Amino acid sequence: MVCKVCGSEVRETARFCGKCGAPIVRGDAPEQRAANAPADAAPAENKPDPDNPDALPKEDLVPLTTPQCVWMLLAMLIPVLNVILMLKWAYSERGNESRRSFARAGLILLGIVLAVLIVVLACVLAGLQMGWLTVPHLM
């Protein structure tokens, strides 16, 4: 059996390609699905189906390399650019699946950090207002 993404030879029992990591699809091939589809079915738009690995371009299924991951981490250190990049990577219709998942996880983490900071700030402000916390005067 041959991997449809990278073309390398894989075992018959393999679920993923040993070289590129792409899932191995067996059974109902896309050609057979197209032949079994009703003739009056409307053609699908040019949007890839994220649930069907055969419909995604092969560059979207290849795992990220180490330099790509390092570049993404460095890009996420830039304050405003990180949110823009994470939103673009997380919600674009096309793009690498690994990058999309990484960006979604980063957005979740960013939301948690912001929520914790807001709660801490609210507690500090409430403590100052109630007199539980005081600010020392240096002069």
Side-chain angles (χ1 to χ4, degrees):
M1 180 174 264
V2 177
C3 174
K4 293 179 182 179
V5 176
C6 68
S8 65
E9 190 68 28
V10 294
R11 295 187 325 258
E12 290 294 325
T13 58
R15 293 179 58 204
F16 296 94
C17 175
K19 185 175 181 182
C20 70
I24 304 298
V25 180
R26 288 187 178 70
D28 199 14
E31 298 83 20
Q32 293 172 343
R33 277 185 255 142
N36 295 338
D40 61 339
E45 297 177 21
N46 284 336
K47 296 180 182 177
D49 181 14
D51 297 329
N52 182 7
D54 292 333
L56 294 173
K58 68 180 181 179
E59 65 268 7
D60 289 356
L61 296 175
V62 177
L64 293 175
T65 62
T66 302
Q68 288 173 323
C69 289
V70 170
W71 182 85
M72 286 178 62
L73 287 171
L74 289 175
M76 288 188 179
L77 293 176
I78 303 170
V80 174
L81 181 65
N82 63 358
V83 175
I84 295 169
L85 286 176
M86 283 193 290
L87 287 171
K88 179 190 176 297
W89 290 334
Y91 297 108
S92 62
E93 290 183 16
R94 287 215 33 201
N96 191 293
E97 283 294 316
S98 299
R99 182 178 291 130
R100 187 176 300 139
S101 298
F102 185 83
R104 288 179 181 168
L107 285 171
I108 291 170
L109 183 63
L110 180 65
I112 291 170
V113 168
L114 287 175
V116 168
L117 286 175
I118 289 171
V119 168
V120 168
L121 182 63
C123 290
V124 168
L125 289 175
L128 287 172
Q129 205 169 34
M130 300 288 246
W132 299 333
L133 298 174
T134 59
V135 179
H137 297 284
L138 297 176
M139 291 189 190

